[in-house]
Amino acid sequence: MRGFPRQDGRKGIRNTLVVAYLVECAHHVAREIAWPFRDRDVHLIGFPGCYPNGYAQRMMEALCTHPNVGAVLLLSLGCESFDKYGLAHAVRESGRPVETIVIQAAGGTRSSIAEGRAWIEGQLGALASAPTVPMGVEELVVGTVCGGSDGTSGITGNPAAGRAFDQLIREGAACIFEETGELIGCEHIMASRAVTPELGRVLEASVAKAARYYATLGYGSFAAGNADGGLSTIEEKSMGAYAKSGSSPISGLLKPADRPPRGGLYLLDVVPDGEVRFGFPNINDTAEIAELIACGAHAVLFVTGRGSVVGSAISPVVKICANPETYRRMADDMDVDAGRILEGAATLDEVGREIRDLVVGLGQGGRTKSEELGHQEFALVYKSFEPIGPACLPAA
């Protein structure tokens, strides 16, 4: 593989220019700036809220200094509470070019769009000619998520992703699985894989927190489409979701924007801490993908049975289709046909190796179906988290 070297020692498999709006009022201007460059690795992200949120600030700093990002353009209306100067400082200190456009000071919509497009034009040449250096599998961070799940997800796609995780971890990569709200019923099995008893208790507590959160809301992480696809309960869905983690020992627990300190397997806790304040922990799969990327994921494995078409800004999304009928119907959106396992045309190990090789190929110039189709979905909402404790990363 080849990677783009960053000042903090990490390497990226992409050299994307990010356009980031810092309040919903700046979204339209940011979108208009980025649109003409959508086929030139210019991606749009942003935070819609006006009042400050420490989680959103930390997420945006992690995303704008992600190893796959080479330059950042910030769009501010001017009167929002987001700390644009703090974000710009963090990006600048990371060694990346950064520019901030304040729409109220720039003269409004048209002048801000013109200024932003001119700045991007000036950056794209340097990004395209940026040097690369050798990059090993042990430098990769890979996340996994599932969405649009059905009865096949836990039989083919999820365990195949788990086999890929096991292979990547053996080669030294860091792998992150999440969805604590979809691990209910599997927490004790998961805790038995923790590298320390203390970490095991932390893992169990994270799932108990998710169960309490959903009980308070009166709604679990189980959609009508899951039932239509043959799943009966959250516990049944959990067994399939758990399979994505593979069989490696669990090295730690992270929260959004925490980085894994070394290779190994990590659980990402995405359910907010404290009292229920912000509604559903994640409004959609895209929000979970953004949190995995904020932890440094170079790529994300997305397992789907019903058929999801989303990709993501910043990091490529590898679509693993669990259902052979869905794959035949939606092949243009899918990277891996894990449904072959169900039909006896491939084994779990064979599809696991295919997924592993596809991830490594992304660092050799390969692109995913969602990238080719222009998918750059992104979502960021209000949340609140406490810092992780020493038991969460016992080997750090």
Side-chain angles (χ1 to χ4, degrees):
M1 294 192 297
R2 305 288 297 181
F4 296 95
R6 306 304 181 195
Q7 191 169 283
D8 62 5
R10 295 185 293 171
K11 298 168 188 173
I13 63 171
R14 297 290 183 266
N15 204 25
T16 297
L17 190 153
V18 161
V19 178
Y21 59 91
L22 308 182
V23 65
E24 184 62 25
C25 310
H27 190 166
H28 172 74
V29 172
R31 183 173 57 242
E32 288 296 304
I33 289 170
W35 181 252
F37 309 101
R38 62 192 181 280
D39 295 327
R40 299 173 67 183
D41 282 333
V42 175
H43 293 191
L44 179 67
I45 68 171
F47 177 61
C50 190
Y51 69 87
N53 179 247
Y55 157 81
Q57 186 82 30
R58 192 162 182 256
M59 282 283 293
M60 289 293 282
E61 289 185 9
L63 292 164
C64 289
T65 59
H66 188 280
N68 285 354
V69 172
V72 178
L73 176 64
L74 303 178
L75 267 295
S76 162
L77 176 61
C79 54
E80 73 278 354
S81 297
F82 196 98
D83 182 7
K84 54 182 171 289
Y85 302 112
L87 177 56
H89 176 75
V91 177
R92 192 173 297 110
E93 287 294 298
S94 75
R96 292 165 173 82
V98 59
E99 180 70 13
T100 304
I101 296 176
V102 180
I103 297 169
Q104 291 167 346
T109 298
R110 285 192 174 88
S111 56
S112 297
I113 291 171
E115 183 180 344
R117 289 178 179 176
W119 189 82
I120 290 175
E121 286 283 10
Q123 295 296 322
L124 287 178
L127 291 175
S129 60
T132 60
V133 297
M135 180 177 178
V137 175
E138 73 279 3
E139 298 176 88
L140 282 173
V141 180
V142 183
T144 188
V145 65
C146 56
S149 300
D150 69 5
T152 68
S153 297
I155 300 171
T156 62
N158 285 337
R163 299 294 174 95
F165 260 24
D166 289 341
Q167 293 178 54
L168 289 163
I169 290 166
R170 283 195 294 270
E171 296 177 76
C175 293
I176 309 170
F177 70 110
E178 49 90 57
E179 297 173 300
T180 46
E182 295 178 14
L183 293 172
I184 295 168
C186 299
E187 59 268 32
H188 304 304
I189 306 169
M190 181 171 63
S192 70
R193 294 167 55 194
V195 294
T196 66
E198 294 78 14
L199 174 59
R201 288 190 285 272
V202 168
L203 298 176
E204 289 179 330
S206 72
V207 177
K209 178 181 66 170
R212 288 194 303 271
Y213 207 104
Y214 284 121
T216 302
L217 293 171
Y219 187 87
S221 185
F222 191 87
N226 298 143
D228 291 343
L231 293 171
S232 62
T233 62
I234 184 60
E235 288 81 6
E236 185 179 13
K237 186 179 182 184
S238 293
M239 287 189 289
Y242 176 68
K244 298 196 308 297
S245 67
S247 60
S248 302
I250 299 175
S251 299
L253 177 137
L254 309 171
K255 294 182 182 181
D258 290 331
R259 296 182 199 168
R262 57 178 54 81
L265 179 65
Y266 299 84
L267 172 66
L268 174 60
D269 179 4
V270 300
V271 175
D273 293 324
E275 61 179 302
V276 179
R277 298 171 58 197
F278 300 119
F280 298 128
N282 273 332
I283 57 173
N284 52 44
D285 298 320
T286 301
E288 297 172 350
I289 292 172
E291 289 174 328
L292 287 165
I293 295 171
C295 292
H298 293 91
V300 176
L301 310 180
F302 190 128
V303 180
T304 183
R306 298 294 302 273
S308 174
V309 300
V310 302
S312 177
I314 298 177
S315 294
V317 173
V318 177
K319 284 295 181 43
I320 303 165
C321 189
N323 190 317
E325 294 181 1
T326 302
Y327 182 84
R328 284 189 281 269
R329 187 171 62 250
M330 301 181 66
D332 285 348
D333 286 276
M334 303 298 158
D335 297 287
V336 178
D337 178 13
R340 292 160 27 229
I341 299 166
L342 201 63
E343 297 180 324
T347 66
L348 279 172
D349 284 333
E350 288 170 345
V351 177
R353 282 193 295 273
E354 179 183 345
I355 297 167
R356 177 267 177 204
D357 292 346
L358 199 158
V359 170
V360 172
L362 297 175
Q364 299 168 332
R367 290 173 66 85
T368 65
K369 294 287 186 70
S370 63
E371 285 183 290
E372 293 294 341
L373 290 166
H375 282 283
Q376 297 176 13
E377 286 81 359
F378 182 83
L380 180 59
V381 297
Y382 284 102
K383 283 189 179 183
S384 179
F385 286 94
E386 297 296 326
I388 58 174
C392 296
L393 293 175

